[in-house]
Amino acid sequence: MIFDTHAHYDDEQFDIDRESLIGSFKDAGIGNVVDIGASLETSQKAIDIAHEYDFFYAAVGVHPSEVEELNEDNIKKLYEWSRDDKCVAIGEIGFDYHWPDPAPELQKKWFKAQLDIAREVELPVVIHSRDAAADTLDILKSERVGEIGGVVHCFSYSREVAKQCVDMGLYIGIGGVLTFKNGRKMVEVVEQTPMDRILLETDCPYLAPEPFRGKRNNSTYLPYVVSKMAEIKGISEEEVIRITEENAKRMYML
């Protein structure tokens, strides 16, 4: 079964049909989903959704664009939620330099603080990195993130950066961008990255694959990513599904 390692079903875009959509997953070949927190509010929602559906799990964390909401008191909530039996990771956390705020130093402070939680509770991390390759690699190395384990989700950099991440022991998260007509860079990343280091993800409701590009994404579209990955790797779609599911269960310790 396909394992969607990164989704946001807590998002309001799913308020109209969340229950019926999730109810269709098993028939569509979707086995497990991890709902990923991006703020304190959505981390709480991710835990709630994971308890509502037995095949869902949660990650709790504050996205770099939301770190201004954090302080020494409320970051303790992430630690508390991380002890929940349905929480399998700390994330998504990292750097986002696409916009001028929050300041890089503030992003770095709370990235490190959340890495400390992950190390303490022995959970992997889900790393968000946008327009910040150099700083991301620096902190991955200086904080020895490979010892913690995790994934660079929605990977958007070169195959050279991907190799450095893989060499540290991290996974590479691949989703709908792989199918885009201008997705050559992602094709090169998948060509180079060993199958045992690749995870499937949607990042839904964002980044739907072709032929749904621009529409609301969901886990039932992942077969389009599987098909493209099988073509690139020269293996069957069944092999792609089997290996990426094994990878996800290994990383999330399920």
Side-chain angles (χ1 to χ4, degrees), residues 54-232:
D54 62 354
F55 60 97
F56 265 65
Y57 296 90
V60 298
V62 175
H63 185 288
S65 297
E66 304 294 332
V67 292
E68 287 169 335
E69 75 171 353
L70 283 172
N71 57 48
E72 300 302 337
D73 288 329
N74 62 21
I75 195 170
K76 293 173 185 172
K77 291 181 180 175
L78 294 177
Y79 176 83
E80 292 165 9
W81 292 329
S82 74
R83 311 301 293 168
D84 189 283
D85 62 356
K86 292 301 292 280
C87 180
V88 294
I90 303 298
E92 60 187 283
I93 63 176
F95 291 123
D96 195 316
Y97 293 170
H98 187 70
W99 309 108
D101 295 312
E105 282 309 308
L106 192 65
Q107 294 188 37
K108 187 175 291 187
K109 172 186 175 178
W110 293 113
F111 188 10
K112 286 183 177 180
Q114 293 180 92
L115 287 173
D116 288 344
I117 292 174
R119 193 181 294 276
E120 183 174 346
V121 299
E122 299 183 337
L123 288 178
V125 287
V126 178
I127 298 163
H128 172 102
S129 179
R130 187 182 190 195
D131 298 341
D135 278 3
T136 300
L137 288 172
D138 283 348
I139 205 165
L140 294 180
K141 291 169 184 171
S142 66
E143 297 293 313
R144 305 190 312 281
V145 176
E147 296 175 1
I148 299 171
V151 56
V152 183
H153 113 89
C154 194
F155 194 85
S156 61
Y157 300 125
S158 67
R159 59 186 176 185
E160 290 79 15
V161 175
K163 185 177 188 306
Q164 290 187 64
C165 295
V166 168
D167 287 348
M168 282 183 241
L170 299 172
Y171 292 86
I172 303 295
I174 301 292
V177 176
L178 183 65
T179 70
F180 292 179
K181 291 179 175 64
N182 60 348
R184 179 64 207 166
K185 190 163 66 169
M186 281 307 94
V187 170
E188 291 176 354
V189 167
V190 169
E191 282 174 344
Q192 170 195 272
T193 304
M195 273 305 302
D196 67 357
R197 286 284 131 187
I198 294 176
L199 299 180
L200 291 175
E201 61 167 66
T202 54
D203 201 20
C204 65
Y206 314 107
L207 298 174
E210 298 286 2
F212 306 102
R213 188 174 181 179
K215 297 187 168 70
R216 186 189 73 172
N217 197 9
N218 74 77
S219 304
T220 68
Y221 294 165
L222 273 172
Y224 292 90
V225 181
V226 169
S227 177
K228 182 67 174 179
M229 193 174 293
E231 175 193 321
I232 294 166

Side-chain angles (χ1 to χ4, degrees), residues 1-4 25-26 28-33 54-57 245:
M1 300 280 272
I2 291 172
F3 195 130
D4 185 353
F25 285 179
K26 283 291 198 305
I30 309 302
N32 291 104
V33 179
D54 62 354
F55 60 97
F56 265 65
Y57 296 90
E245 182 182 34

